[in-house]
């Protein structure tokens, strides 16, 4: 699950888990959120569901601590735990007056004393960042005061990710004399309590944000996109072309040079121009390389017999009538810049640019809008290029879930295509625990969206059974 590169919440370490539930905020007029209201619902979630660990977990609650050293001690205890770890934070962010770094405000924090009385965010990142990849997740339900919100809203989620797998939300301070409520935490806990199987974190996050009414407002949604080490795995070729290739609708404004995205997210200078993308006539695609080895076991590969058709709305536009000059398409240039970075191995840079555009779509159109779903698709393809099939599978499952939630029929080409791509990527997930965590949702969606290839559902079920069987030792 803070270093989980797949974002599935599936641990790459075994044993009982450990959850630290922290609710904090200044006393008196400086308090911006009723942070403690997040804890009763979270405490009512079974430890196994909260951590995704059938073997159970220890859950520690820390309410309104006074001393940052006390919080640091609890973080170090969590970081030293050998099993999976979840840290949930509810409260408010502020900046210290000297270094202007983000801090989590504690009971005695004031604007002048934040440096000494609040928890530096980089302490949190440093302690949890030392843990094994795939073992930790941070869930945050935060508001940012008048010192922290302007730089955070400009920098976007990457300002807090710092190598963590970070899900949740950061909102600006509420109007005076009002306290924000931890609606995201309540929705997150409610979904865990009602779910028969713990869903992948990206999907759980998406549903919690939707139930909490987040997305159209100014808040930042932290969707796990800032994971570390994204550039450490070689790219491998897709089984098919990116489904959104050739899309021409502009989902958000782009600078005149095509070098920056929303919230000032930078793209490679001159990247679009170097590729010659001046109109909506070309979409960048990934480079070819060798795929990773398939998981051991019987050949249960599901490969769609035919590439799912690209919907008309996403196809390359027809050439302009004679005498018409081509119109520059900012989004095509954006795609070119993003995928040039990805194909050059700069996966973190590509993911950050895509995440910034997704944030813009969430703010302007909402979590299940066409634009937001489009950027989910882009992020899924970036995960594929980065060699992270578990993350790609999870994001394609989220795309399918969102489309079905919007009322699109199971036989719609875009719904079928999303499930087919999730299924295909799932085959490449060699880690048994990650693959097993994704299996129940894939089986559920395959039951609703069987696709056009006979036996697809049975293929998933057979591999899921193999994954549940004890691993063979030699």
């Amino acid at each position: 699950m803070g270093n989980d590169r797949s974002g599935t919440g599936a641990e790459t370490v075994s044993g009982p888990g450990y959850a630290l539930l922290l609710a904090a905020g200044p006393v008196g007029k400086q308090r911006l959120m009723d942070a403690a209201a997040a804890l009763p619902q979270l405490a009512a979630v079974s430890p196994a569901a909260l951590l995704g660990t059938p073997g159970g977990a220890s859950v520690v609650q820390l309410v309104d601590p006074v001393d940052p050293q006390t919080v640091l001690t609890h973080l170090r205890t969590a970081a030293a735990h050998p099993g999976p770890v979840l840290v949930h934070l509810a409260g408010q962010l502020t900046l210290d007056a000297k270094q202007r770094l983000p801090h989590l405000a504690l009971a005695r924090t004031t604007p002048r004393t934040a440096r000494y009385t609040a928890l530096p965010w980089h302490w949190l990142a440093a302690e949890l960042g030392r843990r094994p990849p795939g073992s930790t997740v941070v869930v945050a339900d935060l508001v940012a005061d008048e010192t922290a919100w302007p730089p955070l809203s400009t920098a976007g989620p990457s300002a807090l990710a710092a190598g963590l797998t970070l899900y949740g939300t950061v909102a600006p301070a509420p109007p005076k004399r009002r306290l924000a409520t931890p609606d995201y935490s309540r929705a997150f806990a409610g979904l865990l309590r009602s779910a028969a199987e713990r869903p992948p974190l990206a999907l759980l996050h998406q549903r919690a944000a939707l139930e909490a009414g987040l997305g159209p407002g100014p808040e930042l949604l932290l969707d796990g996109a800032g994971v570390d080490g994204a550039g450490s795995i070689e790219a491998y070729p897709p089984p098919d072309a990116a489904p959104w290739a050739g899309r021409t609708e502009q989902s958000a404004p782009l600078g005149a040079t095509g070098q920056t995205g929303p919230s000032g997210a930078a793209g490679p200078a001159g990247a679009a121009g170097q590729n010659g993308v001046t109109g909506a006539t070309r979409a960048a695609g990934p480079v070819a390389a060798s795929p990773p080895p398939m998981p051991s076991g019987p050949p249960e590969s599901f490969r769609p017999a035919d590439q799912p058709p690209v919907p008309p709305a996403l196809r390359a536009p027809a050439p302009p009538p004679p005498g018409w000059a081509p119109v520059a398409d900012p989004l095509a240039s954006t795609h070119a810049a993003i995928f040039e970075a990805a194909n050059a191995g700069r996966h973190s840079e590509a993911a950050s640019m895509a995440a910034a555009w997704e944030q813009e779509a969430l703010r302007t159109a909402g979590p299940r809008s066409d634009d937001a779903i489009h950027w989910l698709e882009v992020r899924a393809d970036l995960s594929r290029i980065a060699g992270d099939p578990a993350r790609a599978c999870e994001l394609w499952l989220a795309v399918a879930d969102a489309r079905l939630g919007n009322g699109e029929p199971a036989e719609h080409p875009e719904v079928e295509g999303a499930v087919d791509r999730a299924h295909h990527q799932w085959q490449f997930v060699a880690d048994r625990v990650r693959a097993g965590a994704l299996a129940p949702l894939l089986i559920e969606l395959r039951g609703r969206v069987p696709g056009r290839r006979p036996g697809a559902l049975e293929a998933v079920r057979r591999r899921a059974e193999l994954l549940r069987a004890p691993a063979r030792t030699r």
Side-chain angles (χ1 to χ4, degrees):
M1 285 184 310
N3 310 68
D4 182 359
R5 298 190 59 238
S6 76
T8 65
E11 300 75 22
T12 58
V13 293
S14 60
Y18 186 95
L20 175 60
L21 311 180
L22 171 60
V27 297
K29 296 180 181 179
Q30 301 294 330
R31 180 166 296 213
L32 302 178
M33 172 186 270
D34 183 10
L39 296 186
Q41 289 87 342
L42 287 166
V45 178
S46 71
L50 190 61
L51 273 294
T53 51
S58 299
V59 180
V60 176
Q61 297 187 40
L62 193 58
V63 183
D64 283 333
V66 171
D67 181 12
Q69 292 293 335
T70 299
V71 182
L72 180 61
T73 298
H74 281 275
L75 285 173
R76 286 177 172 168
T77 300
H81 186 75
V85 168
L86 179 143
V87 175
H88 183 281
L89 307 173
Q92 64 195 65
L93 293 173
T94 188
L95 298 187
D96 70 290
K98 185 174 182 179
Q99 294 181 298
R100 311 298 291 172
L101 294 175
H103 288 58
L104 183 69
L106 303 181
R108 293 180 180 173
T109 301
T110 67
R112 293 184 179 181
T113 65
R115 188 179 180 194
Y116 308 102
T117 61
L119 178 77
W121 188 266
H122 58 273
W123 286 10
L124 171 84
E127 293 300 326
L128 299 180
R130 299 189 184 102
R131 287 179 51 78
S135 67
T136 319
V137 66
V138 177
V139 179
D141 195 344
L142 305 168
V143 296
D145 68 14
E146 67 278 2
T147 69
W149 178 250
L152 278 176
S153 60
T154 299
S158 61
L160 296 176
L164 300 170
T165 295
L166 178 62
Y167 288 93
T169 178
V170 182
K176 289 185 178 181
R177 302 186 187 86
R178 289 184 58 186
L179 283 179
T181 54
D183 297 331
Y184 176 88
S185 297
R186 290 168 172 168
F188 187 90
L191 289 166
L192 283 176
R193 291 177 66 186
S194 61
E197 294 276 354
R198 186 176 187 265
L201 276 171
L203 184 56
L204 182 61
H205 163 75
Q206 184 188 38
R207 289 176 174 172
L210 192 67
E211 287 203 10
L214 304 175
E219 63 275 340
L220 295 176
L221 294 181
L222 312 169
D223 55 10
V227 234
D228 60 342
S232 62
I233 296 182
E234 295 298 323
Y236 61 91
D240 44 353
W244 46 267
R247 176 181 167 127
T248 59
E249 299 93 337
Q250 182 179 353
S251 62
L254 183 70
T257 63
Q259 295 177 12
T260 58
S263 303
Q274 292 167 4
N275 283 333
V277 181
T278 57
T281 57
R282 176 176 178 266
V287 295
S290 299
M294 290 291 289
S296 58
E300 295 293 348
S301 298
F302 169 77
R303 298 180 182 274
D306 300 302
Q307 158 67 17
V310 179
L314 304 187
R315 292 177 186 151
W324 284 51
V327 178
D329 173 24
L331 201 57
S333 299
T334 301
H335 287 153
I338 290 172
F339 278 89
E340 178 174 305
N343 293 333
R346 303 192 307 273
H347 301 297
S348 295
E349 179 183 321
S352 295
M353 286 191 283
W357 282 87
E358 184 183 28
Q359 286 290 324
E360 186 71 15
L362 290 168
R363 287 194 187 103
T364 57
R368 283 189 172 167
S369 63
D370 288 344
D371 286 340
I373 292 173
H374 163 71
W375 287 106
L376 266 180
E377 292 174 338
V378 172
R379 289 176 52 215
D381 211 38
L382 290 175
S383 297
R384 174 187 60 78
I385 295 171
D388 194 345
R391 179 69 163 161
C393 172
E394 180 189 24
L395 290 170
W396 280 121
L397 291 173
V399 170
D401 183 77
R403 290 191 178 281
L404 290 168
N406 284 347
E408 294 183 25
E411 63 274 10
H412 193 287
E414 293 185 43
V415 177
E416 285 187 343
V419 178
D420 285 352
R421 292 179 181 93
H423 190 162
H424 185 88
Q425 289 299 309
W426 182 68
Q427 296 176 119
F428 288 92
V429 183
D431 186 285
R432 294 170 62 91
V433 178
R434 289 185 176 185
L438 290 164
L441 185 57
L442 182 57
I443 290 172
E444 191 269 331
L445 280 174
R446 262 294 171 224
R448 298 167 65 188
V449 186
R452 302 183 184 185
R453 183 183 176 93
L457 176 59
E458 285 307 309
V460 182
R461 286 175 172 163
R462 285 196 295 272
R463 188 183 177 209
E465 287 294 330
L466 290 171
L467 292 169
R468 284 193 289 269
R472 294 180 180 178
T473 57
R474 295 184 179 181

